[in-house]
Amino acid sequence: MPEQLVFAMEVTLNGLMAGVLYALVALGFVLIYKASGIFNYAQGVMALFAAMTLVGIMQGQVPFSHVINAVFGGHITHFGWNVPGVLAIALTVAVMVLLAWLVQVLVMKHLVGQEPIILFMATIGLAYFLEGVADLMWGSEIKTLDVGLPQGINLWIDEATFNIFGYGFFIDNLDIVATVIAALLVAGLVCFAQYTKQGRAMRAVADDHQAALSVGISLNFIWVLVWSVAGFVALVAGIVWGTKSGVQFSLSLIALKALPVLMLGGFTSIPGAIVGGLIIGVGEKLFEFAIGPMVGGATENWFAYVLALLFLVFRPQGLFGEKIIERV
């Protein structure tokens, strides 16, 4: 088999893995937009906040310790214990549910009926507020996140591909685990939406708020539920990305990677987020592999956005989005 074709196969596999990571972030956007019509700019910061909270709980760090020390004096930083990863994840989920409730009660509840641009601006304010609170709670230094996910080259794939092609593929174990987690997460979300009472209520609210109200569905409860699920998705994305690149404030920028995914897949489609993520992941890797050397490289930084712009021009609703026609 030609050498270039073998390299292209390895690049494609790595692109699929990267696409799954993009899709994980995009899922949080889709859930909130589908249920409430709000484009949640704060989704990336929610992933950062969840990851920082998880690290802080695991390390037994005292929240707001440097603020407490500055006001009252002293050098308190840690409780003196470490929390196991599974328990820390459960506690972080509880924190994200509490955050969802606070967002609904203190912010979104008072903006019902406002224009979409006002709701969007509210989520921008929420993003910067959350980033500041995360800094105050856990500090701004770069943190290492280790919940036991495997990392490094997968030796089985390396050996198997070497025996077949004479060249071992480099596939990261973390990317494989992330793919499995994303598949389980999507399957869980689909089952939740299809087979549970709360999931069906969530779909009803997404279809028609007024009709859902008329049959006794509580919008406040559903929106808290949606923000909670989005918070859980943000936690999963934060764990994977935090394990991969460390928990730091640039983690919130992963939201920018989700934007072209949403443009391709559609803002209202969970399958669209997955397919869009895979297209972006594979497309940017293959483009960098095939065209990058001809134009000086670094095409991964802009390829996804150019592709998304082309979709906006010819199919603005995305591959799986709903085409909305307003009669006048």
Side-chain angles (χ1 to χ4, degrees), residues 138-205:
W138 308 113
S140 57
E141 66 276 8
I142 299 174
K143 299 172 177 61
T144 301
L145 176 58
D146 183 8
V147 292
L149 296 180
Q151 296 186 66
I153 184 171
N154 186 287
L155 295 177
W156 183 86
I157 294 178
D158 178 51
E159 185 178 346
T161 50
F162 184 83
N163 291 333
I164 297 172
F165 305 113
Y167 171 77
F169 288 5
F170 183 93
I171 304 294
D172 197 323
N173 280 316
L174 180 60
D175 291 337
I176 297 174
V177 171
T179 303
V180 174
I181 290 174
L184 293 174
L185 185 63
V186 171
L189 288 174
V190 170
C191 290
F192 175 75
Q194 294 288 340
Y195 302 114
T196 67
K197 180 180 177 182
Q198 290 76 15
R200 287 192 290 270
M202 199 168 72
R203 288 165 52 205
V205 170

Coordinates of all heavy atoms in Angstrom, one line a residue, residues 138-205:
W138 N -10.8 28.8 43.2 CA -9.7 27.8 43.1 C -8.4 28.3 42.7 O -7.4 27.6 42.6 CB -10.2 26.7 42.1 CG -11.5 26.2 42.4 CD1 -12.6 26.3 41.6 CD2 -11.9 25.4 43.5 NE1 -13.7 25.7 42.2 CE2 -13.3 25.1 43.4 CE3 -11.3 24.9 44.7 CZ2 -14.0 24.3 44.3 CZ3 -12.0 24.2 45.6 CH2 -13.3 23.9 45.4
G139 N -8.2 29.6 42.4 CA -6.9 30.2 42.0 C -6.7 30.1 40.5 O -7.5 29.3 39.8
S140 N -5.8 30.8 40.0 CA -5.6 30.9 38.5 C -4.5 30.1 38.0 O -4.2 30.1 36.8 CB -5.4 32.4 38.1 OG -4.3 32.9 38.8
E141 N -3.8 29.3 38.9 CA -2.6 28.6 38.4 C -3.1 27.3 37.6 O -4.2 26.9 37.8 CB -1.7 28.1 39.5 CG -2.4 27.1 40.5 CD -3.2 27.8 41.6 OE1 -3.5 29.0 41.5 OE2 -3.6 27.0 42.5
I142 N -2.2 26.9 36.7 CA -2.5 25.7 35.9 C -2.6 24.4 36.8 O -1.7 24.2 37.6 CB -1.5 25.5 34.7 CG1 -1.5 26.7 33.8 CG2 -1.8 24.2 33.9 CD1 -0.4 26.7 32.8
K143 N -3.6 23.6 36.6 CA -3.8 22.4 37.5 C -3.7 21.2 36.6 O -4.2 21.1 35.5 CB -5.1 22.5 38.2 CG -5.3 23.7 39.1 CD -6.7 23.9 39.6 CE -6.8 25.0 40.6 NZ -6.5 26.3 40.0
T144 N -3.3 20.1 37.2 CA -3.2 18.8 36.6 C -4.5 18.0 37.0 O -4.8 18.0 38.2 CB -2.0 18.0 37.0 OG1 -0.8 18.8 36.6 CG2 -1.9 16.7 36.3
L145 N -5.2 17.4 36.1 CA -6.4 16.6 36.4 C -6.1 15.2 36.0 O -5.7 14.9 34.9 CB -7.5 17.2 35.5 CG -8.9 16.4 35.7 CD1 -9.3 16.4 37.1 CD2 -9.9 17.0 34.8
D146 N -6.2 14.3 37.0 CA -6.0 12.9 36.8 C -7.1 12.1 37.5 O -7.1 12.0 38.8 CB -4.6 12.5 37.4 CG -4.3 11.0 37.1 OD1 -5.1 10.4 36.4 OD2 -3.3 10.5 37.7
V147 N -8.1 11.6 36.8 CA -9.2 10.8 37.3 C -9.0 9.4 36.9 O -9.9 8.6 37.0 CB -10.5 11.4 36.9 CG1 -10.8 12.7 37.5 CG2 -10.6 11.4 35.4
G148 N -7.8 9.0 36.5 CA -7.5 7.6 36.2 C -7.7 7.3 34.7 O -7.7 6.1 34.4
L149 N -8.0 8.3 33.8 CA -8.1 8.0 32.4 C -6.8 7.6 31.8 O -5.8 8.3 32.1 CB -8.7 9.2 31.7 CG -10.1 9.6 32.1 CD1 -10.6 10.8 31.2 CD2 -11.1 8.4 31.9
P150 N -6.7 6.5 31.0 CA -5.4 6.1 30.4 C -4.9 7.1 29.4 O -5.7 7.7 28.7 CB -5.7 4.8 29.8 CG -7.2 4.8 29.5 CD -7.8 5.6 30.6
Q151 N -3.6 7.3 29.3 CA -3.1 8.2 28.3 C -1.9 7.5 27.6 O -1.4 6.5 28.1 CB -2.6 9.5 28.9 CG -3.7 10.3 29.5 CD -3.3 11.7 30.0 OE1 -2.9 12.5 29.3 NE2 -3.4 11.9 31.4
G152 N -1.4 8.1 26.5 CA -0.3 7.6 25.8 C -0.7 6.7 24.6 O -1.9 6.4 24.4
I153 N 0.3 6.3 23.8 CA 0.0 5.5 22.6 C -0.6 4.2 22.9 O -0.3 3.5 23.9 CB 1.3 5.3 21.8 CG1 1.0 4.6 20.5 CG2 2.3 4.5 22.7 CD1 2.3 4.5 19.6
N154 N -1.6 3.8 22.1 CA -2.2 2.5 22.3 C -1.3 1.4 21.6 O -1.2 1.4 20.4 CB -3.6 2.5 21.6 CG -4.4 1.2 21.9 OD1 -4.1 0.2 21.3 ND2 -5.4 1.2 22.7
L155 N -0.7 0.6 22.4 CA 0.3 -0.4 21.9 C -0.4 -1.4 21.0 O 0.2 -1.9 20.1 CB 1.0 -1.0 23.1 CG 1.8 -0.1 23.9 CD1 2.5 -0.8 25.1 CD2 2.9 0.6 23.1
W156 N -1.6 -1.8 21.3 CA -2.3 -2.8 20.5 C -2.5 -2.4 19.1 O -2.2 -3.1 18.1 CB -3.6 -3.2 21.2 CG -4.3 -4.3 20.4 CD1 -4.1 -5.7 20.6 CD2 -5.3 -4.2 19.4 NE1 -4.9 -6.4 19.8 CE2 -5.6 -5.5 19.0 CE3 -5.9 -3.1 18.7 CZ2 -6.6 -5.8 18.0 CZ3 -6.8 -3.4 17.7 CH2 -7.1 -4.7 17.4
I157 N -3.0 -1.1 18.9 CA -3.2 -0.6 17.6 C -1.9 -0.4 16.9 O -1.7 -0.6 15.7 CB -4.0 0.8 17.7 CG1 -5.4 0.5 18.2 CG2 -4.1 1.4 16.3 CD1 -6.3 1.7 18.4
D158 N -0.9 0.1 17.7 CA 0.4 0.3 17.1 C 1.0 -1.0 16.5 O 1.5 -1.0 15.4 CB 1.3 0.9 18.2 CG 2.7 1.1 17.7 OD1 2.9 1.8 16.6 OD2 3.7 0.6 18.3
E159 N 0.9 -2.1 17.3 CA 1.4 -3.4 16.8 C 0.6 -4.0 15.7 O 1.2 -4.5 14.7 CB 1.4 -4.3 18.0 CG 2.1 -5.7 17.7 CD 2.1 -6.6 18.9 OE1 1.9 -6.1 20.1 OE2 2.4 -7.8 18.8
A160 N -0.8 -3.8 15.8 CA -1.6 -4.4 14.8 C -1.4 -3.7 13.4 O -1.3 -4.4 12.4 CB -3.1 -4.3 15.2
T161 N -1.4 -2.4 13.4 CA -1.2 -1.7 12.2 C 0.2 -1.9 11.6 O 0.4 -1.9 10.4 CB -1.4 -0.2 12.4 OG1 -0.7 0.3 13.5 CG2 -2.9 0.1 12.6
F162 N 1.2 -2.1 12.5 CA 2.6 -2.3 12.0 C 2.6 -3.7 11.3 O 3.3 -3.8 10.3 CB 3.5 -2.3 13.2 CG 5.0 -2.5 12.8 CD1 5.7 -1.4 12.3 CD2 5.6 -3.7 12.8 CE1 7.0 -1.5 11.9 CE2 6.9 -3.9 12.4 CZ 7.6 -2.8 12.0
N163 N 1.9 -4.7 11.9 CA 1.9 -6.0 11.2 C 1.2 -6.0 9.9 O 1.5 -6.7 9.0 CB 1.2 -7.0 12.1 CG 2.0 -7.3 13.4 OD1 3.3 -7.2 13.4 ND2 1.4 -7.7 14.5
I164 N 0.2 -5.1 9.7 CA -0.5 -5.0 8.4 C 0.1 -4.1 7.4 O 0.3 -4.5 6.2 CB -2.0 -4.5 8.7 CG1 -2.7 -5.5 9.7 CG2 -2.8 -4.4 7.4 CD1 -4.1 -5.0 10.1
F165 N 0.5 -2.9 7.9 CA 1.0 -1.9 6.9 C 2.5 -1.7 6.9 O 3.1 -0.9 6.1 CB 0.3 -0.5 7.2 CG -1.2 -0.6 7.1 CD1 -1.9 -0.4 8.3 CD2 -1.9 -0.9 5.9 CE1 -3.3 -0.5 8.3 CE2 -3.3 -0.9 5.9 CZ -4.0 -0.7 7.1
G166 N 3.1 -2.3 8.0 CA 4.6 -2.0 8.1 C 4.8 -0.7 8.8 O 5.9 -0.1 8.7
Y167 N 3.8 0.0 9.3 CA 3.9 1.3 10.0 C 2.8 1.3 11.1 O 1.6 1.1 10.9 CB 3.6 2.4 9.0 CG 3.4 3.8 9.6 CD1 4.6 4.5 10.0 CD2 2.2 4.3 9.8 CE1 4.4 5.7 10.6 CE2 2.1 5.6 10.3 CZ 3.2 6.3 10.7 OH 3.1 7.5 11.3
G168 N 3.3 1.6 12.3 CA 2.4 1.6 13.5 C 1.7 3.0 13.6 O 2.3 4.0 13.6
F169 N 0.4 2.9 13.8 CA -0.4 4.1 13.9 C -0.3 4.6 15.4 O -0.3 3.9 16.3 CB -1.9 3.9 13.7 CG -2.2 3.7 12.2 CD1 -1.2 3.6 11.3 CD2 -3.5 3.6 11.8 CE1 -1.5 3.4 9.9 CE2 -3.8 3.4 10.4 CZ -2.8 3.3 9.5
F170 N -0.1 6.0 15.5 CA -0.1 6.6 16.8 C -1.6 7.0 17.2 O -2.1 8.0 16.7 CB 0.8 7.8 16.9 CG 0.9 8.4 18.3 CD1 1.9 8.0 19.2 CD2 0.0 9.4 18.7 CE1 1.9 8.5 20.4 CE2 0.0 9.9 20.0 CZ 1.0 9.5 20.8
I171 N -2.2 6.3 18.0 CA -3.6 6.6 18.5 C -3.5 6.7 20.0 O -3.1 5.8 20.7 CB -4.6 5.6 18.1 CG1 -4.6 5.4 16.6 CG2 -6.0 6.0 18.6 CD1 -5.1 6.6 15.8
D172 N -3.9 7.9 20.6 CA -3.8 8.1 22.0 C -4.9 7.3 22.7 O -6.1 7.4 22.3 CB -3.9 9.6 22.3 CG -3.5 10.0 23.7 OD1 -3.7 9.2 24.6 OD2 -2.8 11.0 23.9
N173 N -4.6 6.7 23.8 CA -5.6 6.0 24.6 C -6.7 6.9 25.1 O -7.8 6.5 25.2 CB -4.9 5.3 25.8 CG -4.2 4.0 25.4 OD1 -4.8 3.2 24.7 ND2 -3.0 3.7 25.9
L174 N -6.3 8.1 25.5 CA -7.3 9.1 26.0 C -8.3 9.4 24.9 O -9.5 9.6 25.3 CB -6.5 10.4 26.4 CG -7.5 11.5 27.0 CD1 -8.2 11.0 28.2 CD2 -6.7 12.7 27.3
D175 N -7.9 9.5 23.7 CA -8.8 9.8 22.6 C -9.8 8.6 22.4 O -11.0 8.8 22.2 CB -8.1 10.0 21.3 CG -7.3 11.3 21.3 OD1 -7.7 12.2 22.1 OD2 -6.4 11.5 20.5
I176 N -9.3 7.4 22.6 CA -10.2 6.2 22.5 C -11.2 6.2 23.6 O -12.4 6.0 23.4 CB -9.4 4.9 22.5 CG1 -8.4 4.9 21.3 CG2 -10.3 3.7 22.5 CD1 -7.5 3.7 21.3
V177 N -10.7 6.5 24.8 CA -11.7 6.6 26.0 C -12.7 7.7 25.8 O -13.9 7.5 26.1 CB -10.9 6.8 27.3 CG1 -11.8 7.0 28.4 CG2 -10.0 5.5 27.6
A178 N -12.2 8.8 25.3 CA -13.2 9.9 25.0 C -14.2 9.6 24.0 O -15.4 9.9 24.2 CB -12.4 11.2 24.5
T179 N -13.8 8.8 23.0 CA -14.8 8.3 22.0 C -15.9 7.4 22.6 O -17.1 7.6 22.4 CB -14.1 7.6 20.9 OG1 -13.1 8.4 20.3 CG2 -15.1 7.1 19.8
V180 N -15.4 6.5 23.5 CA -16.4 5.6 24.2 C -17.3 6.4 25.1 O -18.5 6.2 25.1 CB -15.6 4.5 25.0 CG1 -16.6 3.7 25.8 CG2 -14.8 3.7 24.0
I181 N -16.7 7.4 25.8 CA -17.5 8.2 26.7 C -18.6 9.0 26.0 O -19.7 9.1 26.4 CB -16.6 9.1 27.6 CG1 -15.8 8.3 28.6 CG2 -17.4 10.2 28.3 CD1 -14.7 9.2 29.3
A182 N -18.1 9.6 24.8 CA -19.1 10.4 24.0 C -20.2 9.5 23.5 O -21.4 10.0 23.5 CB -18.3 11.1 22.9
A183 N -19.9 8.3 23.1 CA -20.9 7.4 22.5 C -21.9 7.1 23.6 O -23.1 7.1 23.4 CB -20.3 6.2 22.0
L184 N -21.4 6.7 24.8 CA -22.3 6.4 25.9 C -23.1 7.6 26.4 O -24.3 7.5 26.7 CB -21.5 5.9 27.1 CG -20.7 4.6 27.0 CD1 -19.8 4.3 28.2 CD2 -21.8 3.5 26.8
L185 N -22.5 8.8 26.3 CA -23.2 10.0 26.7 C -24.4 10.3 25.7 O -25.5 10.6 26.2 CB -22.2 11.2 26.7 CG -22.8 12.5 27.2 CD1 -23.2 12.5 28.7 CD2 -21.7 13.6 27.0
V186 N -24.1 10.2 24.4 CA -25.1 10.5 23.4 C -26.3 9.4 23.6 O -27.5 9.7 23.5 CB -24.5 10.4 22.0 CG1 -25.6 10.4 21.0 CG2 -23.6 11.6 21.8
A187 N -25.9 8.1 23.7 CA -26.9 7.1 23.9 C -27.7 7.4 25.2 O -29.0 7.2 25.1 CB -26.2 5.7 24.0
G188 N -27.1 7.8 26.2 CA -27.8 8.1 27.5 C -28.8 9.3 27.3 O -29.9 9.3 27.7
L189 N -28.3 10.3 26.5 CA -29.2 11.5 26.3 C -30.4 11.1 25.5 O -31.5 11.6 25.7 CB -28.4 12.6 25.6 CG -27.3 13.3 26.5 CD1 -26.5 14.3 25.7 CD2 -28.1 14.1 27.6
V190 N -30.1 10.3 24.4 CA -31.2 9.9 23.6 C -32.3 9.0 24.4 O -33.5 9.3 24.3 CB -30.7 9.0 22.4 CG1 -31.9 8.4 21.6 CG2 -29.9 9.9 21.5
C191 N -31.8 8.1 25.2 CA -32.7 7.3 26.0 C -33.5 8.2 27.0 O -34.7 8.0 27.2 CB -31.9 6.2 26.8 SG -31.3 4.9 25.7
F192 N -32.8 9.1 27.6 CA -33.4 10.0 28.5 C -34.5 10.8 27.9 O -35.6 11.0 28.4 CB -32.4 11.0 29.1 CG -32.9 12.0 30.0 CD1 -33.3 11.7 31.3 CD2 -33.0 13.4 29.6 CE1 -33.9 12.7 32.1 CE2 -33.6 14.3 30.4 CZ -34.0 14.0 31.7
A193 N -34.2 11.3 26.6 CA -35.2 12.2 25.9 C -36.4 11.3 25.4 O -37.5 11.8 25.4 CB -34.6 12.9 24.8
Q194 N -36.1 10.0 25.1 CA -37.2 9.2 24.5 C -38.0 8.5 25.5 O -39.2 8.3 25.3 CB -36.5 8.2 23.5 CG -35.8 8.8 22.3 CD -36.8 9.3 21.3 OE1 -38.0 9.0 21.3 NE2 -36.4 10.2 20.5
Y195 N -37.4 8.0 26.6 CA -38.1 7.0 27.5 C -38.4 7.5 28.9 O -38.9 6.7 29.7 CB -37.3 5.8 27.5 CG -37.0 5.1 26.2 CD1 -35.8 5.1 25.6 CD2 -38.1 4.6 25.4 CE1 -35.5 4.5 24.4 CE2 -37.9 4.1 24.1 CZ -36.6 4.1 23.6 OH -36.3 3.5 22.4
T196 N -38.1 8.7 29.2 CA -38.4 9.2 30.6 C -39.4 10.3 30.5 O -39.5 11.0 29.5 CB -37.1 9.7 31.3 OG1 -36.6 10.9 30.6 CG2 -36.0 8.7 31.3
K197 N -40.1 10.5 31.6 CA -41.2 11.5 31.7 C -40.6 12.9 31.5 O -41.1 13.8 30.8 CB -41.9 11.4 33.0 CG -43.0 12.4 33.2 CD -43.7 12.2 34.5 CE -44.8 13.3 34.8 NZ -45.4 13.1 36.1
Q198 N -39.4 13.1 32.2 CA -38.8 14.4 32.2 C -38.2 14.7 30.8 O -38.2 15.8 30.3 CB -37.6 14.5 33.2 CG -38.1 14.5 34.7 CD -38.5 13.2 35.2 OE1 -38.3 12.1 34.5 NE2 -39.2 13.1 36.3
G199 N -37.7 13.6 30.2 CA -37.2 13.8 28.8 C -38.2 14.2 27.8 O -38.0 15.1 27.0
R200 N -39.4 13.5 27.9 CA -40.5 13.9 27.0 C -41.0 15.3 27.3 O -41.3 16.0 26.4 CB -41.6 12.9 27.2 CG -41.3 11.5 26.6 CD -42.6 10.6 26.5 NE -43.0 10.2 27.8 CZ -42.6 9.1 28.4 NH1 -41.8 8.3 27.8 NH2 -43.1 8.8 29.6
A201 N -41.0 15.7 28.6 CA -41.4 17.1 28.9 C -40.4 18.1 28.3 O -40.8 19.1 27.8 CB -41.5 17.2 30.4
M202 N -39.1 17.7 28.3 CA -38.1 18.6 27.8 C -38.3 18.7 26.3 O -38.2 19.9 25.7 CB -36.7 18.0 28.1 CG -35.6 18.9 27.9 SD -34.1 18.2 28.6 CE -33.6 17.0 27.4
R203 N -38.7 17.7 25.6 CA -38.9 17.7 24.1 C -40.2 18.6 23.9 O -40.2 19.3 22.9 CB -39.1 16.3 23.6 CG -37.7 15.6 23.5 CD -38.0 14.1 23.3 NE -38.8 13.8 22.2 CZ -39.5 12.7 22.1 NH1 -39.5 11.8 23.0 NH2 -40.2 12.5 21.0
A204 N -41.2 18.4 24.7 CA -42.4 19.2 24.5 C -42.1 20.7 24.7 O -42.6 21.5 23.9 CB -43.5 18.8 25.6
V205 N -41.3 21.1 25.7 CA -41.0 22.5 25.8 C -40.2 23.0 24.6 O -40.4 24.1 24.2 CB -40.2 22.7 27.1 CG1 -39.6 24.1 27.2 CG2 -41.0 22.4 28.3

